[in-house]
Amino acid sequence: MASTWKGLLAAGASLLSLGLVSTGAVGALGAQAVQAAGRYGGTLNIEITNDPPGLDPATVLDNDAGYVMATLYDGLTAYKPGTTQVVPGLATHWKITNGGKTYIFYLRHGVTFSDGTPFNAQAVAQWIDHLINPKNPDYYAKQKGIQTFVPFTWGNVTGYKVLGPYTIEVNMKSPNGEFLADLAMVWDGVTSPTAVAKWGSQYYEHPSGTGPFVLEKWVKGQYLEVKANPHYWGGRPYLSSIIFQEIPNQATQFLALRTGRVDILTDVAPNEVASIRSDSHLRLLAEPGLADNAVSLPVQVKPFSDVRVRQALNYAVNKALLDKTLYGGLAQVMNSPLPKVAFGYDPKIPAYPYDPQKARQLLAAAGYPHGFTATMVVYTGARGYNPIGGQELATAIQAQLAQVGVKLKLDIVDPTTWLGMIRNPNFHLMTLTGWTGDNGDPDDMISPLFNGNAFTTGNSSHYNNPQVNALFASALESSNPAVRAHDYDIIQKKIMADAPWIFLNYPDMLRAESTSVHGFVPNPTYFYFNMNQVWLSR
Amino acid sequence: MLNLIVRRLLLAIPVMFGVLVAVFVGLHVLPGNVAQAIGGPHATAAQIALITRQLGLDKPIYVQFWVYLSQVVRGQLGTSLRTHDPVTVDLMQAFPYTLQLTLAAFVLASLVGVAAGMVAAVYRNSWLDSALMSLVLVGISMPVFWTGILLMLLFAVDLPWFPLSGVLSPGLTVPGPTGLPVLDGLLTGNWAGFGDALSHLVLPAVTLATYTVAFIARMTRAAMVEVLQQDYLRTARAKGLAGPVVVFKHALRNAALPVVTVMGIQLGTLLSGAVLTETIFAIPGLGRLTITSILFRDYPEVQGIVLLAALLFVLVNLLTDVLYGLLDPRIRYQ
């Protein structure tokens, strides 16, 4: 949301990069950082952009909400810190039977929701029921127009059975290979059924989970404070509390980190990286992200219906130069639609090298020796997968493609307009695009973008290859990692060859923190998981 | 006078209706489809169709407008698609912050602007006049976001005199009858709250006031220069009246009419300038709510905000006209 302002305020932000800012004294211990075990106490301040629309995992899809909810809730499964590898969460172990259509979860003992409700199979049954049963009085979708991930995870689930006080069975219509990865998502945090029933449509303001923190105070438009849950099953949090400070403007966000008003910066722009690196009180965290940054080509219409044209465009863009100049080296050239941290990523697939000569040859072979003119739709501002902003990237691509005779007209629109355009099933234009994965599973990462059978609104290129579609189906239906990895390997290679996108880069996931923060490990899903491990040395 | 006020308020109804039609049509012809925005990229066509039906977006636009209008005349502005709260609740939550910021900036701009304009006029063509008018030029030329960030760097980062952003320090609340933290702190004798709220208000208010100070100063100078050359002022001086009496009683009052007009218009500018100022300084007012709601295509919220803004403009215009009558006895409203 603030991304529009990111563009508008570029002038203000550039002030910072010009070095007009002198280094002020920032309250941090810096080099004296305590190396020993964590210290208890203290309040950690984290910057978020906007007021979350709600804190019910079933009815919001907002990043700012997700940042807070990751501290309040646990899923049946979880991600190993710093990865998207699935590990036990509220379920200590599980069994998959019936050809992948039945999951039996064995639940953790001695866990309580923040409202005092005991966590057990009965509670999980009630939680699942409110997600899948429209007759349930607390059915999640009773409110109109909610944003939700529930159909994504639970659309396939037909029912559940309580097998014991701490054992529950979940049944599905067909196997879903990414179900366990889904359950670890922040959007599948287990909510207290008692609290859901008590608050009804107001639950989104009265969240109750089993997480390391509990909502203490929510001053709308200003901040949210979460307090440590001393009985947390995963270990008592070091911090006493976390305050999520709402700061919509990019330049202000950065100054908030500089002045110590916040300890962790959620939104780091590439033009701030140099200032962060040169400040001894600050630390830049750059990790491979779960994100693709690309240009989508409308494969159903001319001239893009010719694969040679699409490949030519891939050869015509100097991706490495973009990474170096625009992204300050904080991005890597794409060699697969799957990012490096996703399950099944194949590092051996070659990326399209920069070869304008070959691009011209392919264009000539396709009947466009002098190139062609096309319109590219461009979003304003930065996005999770493109921290430098749409216009900046589009202008560079426009100049590079002009070298091989392809003239681009840029249609620059605000991000919401852009989303509305590309998600329209009748959209057939070139556009900047990208994707941020939700759970690290390859199905989530690329099926919405390239599966022609299950057309969702993410497939803006209208790519539809029956062979790839069949592989997507077989990979999803298997819960055998080796089988899935093999299927996704072929899928990656076919998509690269078919080139429905200009494959640009994988931007790093950027966070910045004060040097007094310890134990913070960013998760590739971007959310603030495992915050019970974080402590402060000031 | 009462007649005028009643008539103007009645006239506001068709104005508001026109505004409502314009906003409703405008929002609905924007290319971003709200159902698609809500559904997200995983949404299938069936899910989008469901959301479209739930929100009544499948009905013809005149039917949707009629449904909305019949709500509005009953005093209901609907429910926000983003916050799930009634629009009136969101507006009431945000409005006091914008009102506080706008009023502070307006008072500041009026006092400083009129004073600077008068000084420049009285000492016209002197170095003081040149200096003041150069400053005015700078003030008019500086965009709000630039002024804001510059002030932050100077007075919150390098010289940590004021808080960087926000309206109150975390953990602090200032309950009171008006909802304006500074005023509530003052009225309830909550001095800690008053001080904290005031220190948070200084930088954004100065930022927002900068342009208006400059504009008012320029107008005041022009009006004063004209009036100061009039015969009756020469007469006043010839009568032996002291300089300040001449300037304040005889000149300023006559120069006030164009200045009041400009101030009325500027109050509107301040309200719209609050959009940027609130974003830079993280103030949860109407301006920030506007941006968030437009980007989310939160139709009911945007319509509510525009309706409120239109009402405010009507009231400000009315206030300006009433002030005219009070300032200039020659103006009589029929």
Side-chain angles (χ1 to χ4, degrees):
Chain A
M1 201 117 321
S3 47
T4 305
W5 299 111
K6 284 182 177 167
L8 192 60
L9 296 171
S14 63
L15 258 184
L16 308 173
S17 52
L18 281 173
L20 288 178
V21 191
S22 69
T23 314
V26 182
L29 288 176
Q32 301 165 30
V34 185
Q35 292 298 322
R39 183 189 286 177
Y40 284 94
T43 297
L44 179 81
N45 286 279
I46 299 181
E47 169 268 317
I48 59 174
T49 303
N50 274 311
D51 203 40
L55 296 172
D56 177 4
T59 61
V60 296
L61 264 189
D62 174 273
N63 278 350
D64 291 312
Y67 298 142
V68 181
M69 290 194 304
T71 67
L72 304 177
Y73 296 102
D74 295 309
L76 290 181
T77 58
Y79 300 119
K80 188 179 163 191
T83 73
T84 51
Q85 192 187 321
V86 175
V87 294
L90 286 173
T92 53
H93 56 293
W94 47 82
K95 206 154 64 187
I96 306 170
T97 61
N98 190 20
K101 289 196 282 188
T102 298
Y103 284 69
I104 298 169
F105 291 100
Y106 301 90
L107 307 176
R108 203 171 282 281
H109 294 228
V111 178
T112 313
F113 289 99
S114 63
D115 67 340
T117 305
F119 171 81
N120 51 35
Q122 199 53 49
V124 174
Q126 283 175 270
W127 171 65
I128 297 176
D129 197 75
H130 106 290
L131 299 176
I132 65 170
N133 177 10
K135 294 200 183 94
N136 185 315
D138 303 317
Y139 185 51
Y140 83 100
K142 279 205 161 154
Q143 269 187 321
K144 59 184 181 181
I146 53 162
Q147 295 199 293
T148 183
F149 241 93
V150 172
F152 178 82
T153 308
W154 298 94
N156 191 23
V157 171
T158 51
Y160 57 86
K161 207 192 297 172
V162 174
L163 301 178
Y166 289 95
T167 314
I168 189 163
E169 177 186 293
V170 176
N171 294 297
M172 308 178 179
K173 270 200 287 272
S174 55
N176 175 4
E178 65 171 325
F179 187 57
L180 292 173
D182 291 348
L183 290 177
M185 292 192 301
V186 74
W187 322 114
D188 276 307
V190 182
T191 51
S192 157
T194 323
V196 169
K198 178 179 171 193
W199 294 105
S201 64
Q202 298 303 305
Y203 174 79
Y204 70 95
E205 285 183 338
H206 303 274
S208 175
T210 60
F213 292 85
V214 180
L215 181 67
E216 169 79 2
K217 198 171 184 188
W218 183 357
V219 184
K220 291 211 171 173
Q222 297 179 48
Y223 65 93
L224 298 99
E225 183 175 3
V226 297
K227 205 179 63 185
N229 168 7
H231 311 296
Y232 185 54
W233 60 266
R236 179 188 154 198
Y238 288 114
L239 299 165
S240 308
S241 61
I242 302 176
I243 295 181
F244 291 91
Q245 303 237 17
E246 300 168 20
I247 307 175
N249 176 251
Q250 191 203 325
T252 316
Q253 291 165 354
F254 178 65
L255 291 179
L257 178 72
R258 286 276 316 273
T259 53
R261 189 186 161 106
V262 300
D263 306 297
I264 294 182
L265 190 62
T266 304
D267 305 280
V268 181
N271 64 1
E272 292 161 354
V273 164
S275 311
I276 294 170
R277 282 191 169 141
S278 65
D279 189 328
S280 62
H281 301 289
L282 304 179
R283 196 183 290 135
L284 180 77
L285 304 168
E287 309 281 341
L290 194 58
D292 284 351
N293 186 24
V295 177
S296 161
L297 306 170
V299 302
Q300 307 282 352
V301 298
K302 276 189 171 177
F304 305 100
S305 48
D306 190 324
V307 69
R308 289 169 295 188
V309 170
R310 305 197 298 265
Q311 290 171 340
L313 298 181
N314 271 283
Y315 284 114
V317 175
N318 189 343
K319 278 89 54 181
L321 184 69
L322 295 180
D323 292 351
K324 199 173 138 199
T325 52
L326 287 180
Y327 295 86
L330 296 166
Q332 283 90 42
V333 174
M334 272 177 94
N335 68 320
S336 155
L338 277 181
K340 298 186 178 196
V341 285
F343 169 78
Y345 165 78
D346 182 350
K348 293 191 294 291
I349 301 173
Y352 281 93
Y354 174 55
D355 189 343
Q357 195 49 41
K358 184 145 188 188
R360 283 187 207 100
Q361 282 167 10
L362 282 165
L363 283 174
Y368 302 96
H370 307 295
F372 55 87
T373 304
T375 299
M376 179 161 82
V377 185
V378 178
Y379 51 79
T380 53
R383 298 193 71 75
Y385 45 77
N386 181 14
I388 63 142
Q391 277 163 281
E392 290 77 356
L393 176 60
T395 316
I397 293 173
Q398 186 185 37
Q400 295 195 358
L401 290 186
Q403 307 282 321
V404 298
V406 175
K407 291 176 226 34
L408 289 189
K409 277 188 261 175
L410 304 184
D411 183 5
I412 300 165
V413 295
D414 78 273
T416 314
T417 303
W418 172 74
L419 282 178
M421 287 171 83
I422 65 159
R423 288 177 184 171
N424 186 324
N426 299 317
F427 177 81
H428 289 289
L429 287 172
M430 230 177 132
T431 178
L432 286 189
T433 192
W435 188 261
T436 308
D438 302 290
N439 55 23
D441 191 90
D443 186 76
D444 166 80
M445 190 68 213
I446 51 175
S447 175
L449 306 170
F450 302 112
N451 189 342
N453 260 352
F455 180 78
T456 62
T457 52
N459 186 350
S460 53
S461 65
H462 294 261
Y463 176 69
N464 189 357
N465 179 334
Q467 256 183 307
V468 171
N469 297 348
L471 283 165
F472 269 127
S474 94
L476 187 63
E477 296 220 335
S478 171
S479 42
N480 179 341
V483 173
R484 299 190 76 208
H486 179 257
D487 285 343
Y488 287 117
D489 198 46
I490 306 173
I491 290 175
Q492 290 169 71
K493 287 172 178 153
K494 286 202 178 302
I495 293 174
M496 283 307 283
D498 286 341
W501 280 4
I502 303 176
F503 299 98
L504 298 177
N505 60 24
Y506 310 117
D508 284 347
M509 171 178 58
L510 302 178
R511 292 274 189 271
E513 63 180 7
S514 147
T515 45
S516 59
V517 178
H518 305 270
F520 171 53
V521 183
N523 188 276
T525 61
Y526 290 75
F527 296 110
Y528 288 104
F529 291 113
N530 311 108
M531 292 305 283
N532 58 322
Q533 316 275 354
V534 176
W535 55 280
L536 288 167
S537 61
R538 60 155 185 258
Chain B
M1 188 62 77
L2 191 68
N3 196 357
L4 163 86
I5 295 174
V6 171
R7 221 177 47 211
R8 290 289 295 272
L9 285 177
L10 285 176
L11 213 64
I13 295 172
V15 170
M16 306 278 277
F17 181 79
V19 166
L20 207 56
V21 173
V23 172
F24 202 88
V25 173
L27 278 176
H28 283 76
V29 298
L30 278 178
N33 176 332
V34 72
Q36 273 156 359
I38 289 174
H42 283 292
T44 58
Q47 281 162 13
I48 288 176
L50 175 72
I51 297 170
T52 309
R53 221 168 33 247
Q54 279 181 336
L55 299 180
L57 297 170
D58 53 338
K59 299 198 180 72
I61 185 166
Y62 58 87
V63 176
Q64 293 182 46
F65 185 66
W66 180 249
V67 170
Y68 182 65
L69 197 64
S70 48
Q71 273 181 9
V72 170
V73 294
R74 285 188 306 239
Q76 292 160 7
L77 296 177
T79 306
S80 160
L81 299 178
R82 192 181 65 86
T83 66
H84 307 301
D85 289 327
V87 170
T88 38
V89 170
D90 285 345
L91 291 183
M92 288 316 291
Q93 214 161 37
F95 183 56
Y97 295 116
T98 303
L99 188 65
Q100 172 173 291
L101 174 63
T102 310
L103 285 181
F106 183 69
V107 170
L108 196 67
S110 305
L111 291 178
V112 179
V114 169
M118 279 172 61
V119 170
V122 170
Y123 300 99
R124 67 179 172 280
N125 301 329
S126 70
W127 66 269
L128 190 60
D129 181 21
S130 309
L132 280 172
M133 285 306 110
S134 307
L135 276 178
V136 160
L137 195 66
V138 173
I140 283 188
S141 315
M142 287 203 299
V144 164
F145 60 83
W146 196 76
T147 320
I149 288 165
L150 206 67
L151 286 176
M152 269 182 182
L153 285 173
L154 287 174
F155 299 111
V157 179
D158 287 345
L159 303 168
W161 295 350
F162 297 103
L164 185 70
S165 62
V167 285
L168 280 172
S169 298
L172 208 64
T173 47
V174 187
T178 66
L180 280 61
V182 172
L183 201 57
D184 282 340
L186 201 62
L187 292 176
T188 59
N190 177 352
W191 302 116
F194 169 73
D196 190 74
L198 191 64
S199 68
H200 278 87
L201 183 60
V202 172
L203 294 185
V206 172
T207 302
L208 184 56
T210 306
Y211 175 83
T212 309
V213 167
F215 202 83
I216 290 179
R218 203 182 244 189
M219 277 312 290
T220 308
R221 181 185 179 279
M224 283 290 283
V225 164
E226 199 186 315
V227 171
L228 285 170
Q229 288 165 347
Q230 299 291 322
D231 291 347
Y232 58 83
L233 279 201
R234 198 184 49 210
T235 310
R237 282 200 203 90
K239 278 199 299 188
L241 289 176
V245 177
V246 174
V247 170
F248 283 98
K249 199 172 164 197
H250 294 255
L252 183 60
R253 181 145 183 191
N254 283 297
L257 271 189
V259 176
V260 167
T261 313
V262 164
M263 280 157 69
I265 297 167
Q266 285 302 310
L267 196 54
T269 312
L270 285 176
L271 279 171
S272 44
V275 172
L276 276 171
T277 313
E278 286 176 3
T279 305
I280 298 165
F281 287 96
I283 296 170
L286 277 183
R288 205 171 125 198
L289 189 65
T290 310
I291 297 296
T292 326
S293 307
I294 289 176
L295 288 179
F296 195 88
R297 295 291 185 270
D298 188 347
Y299 294 166
E301 198 95 279
V302 177
Q303 286 156 1
I305 294 168
V306 172
L307 215 54
L308 179 61
L311 185 67
L312 289 174
F313 270 78
V314 168
L315 289 178
V316 167
N317 273 333
L318 178 60
L319 193 70
T320 314
D321 286 355
V322 170
L323 273 178
Y324 260 39
L326 294 177
L327 284 168
D328 187 347
R330 288 170 303 184
I331 295 175
R332 283 289 169 266
Y333 299 101
Q334 296 304 312

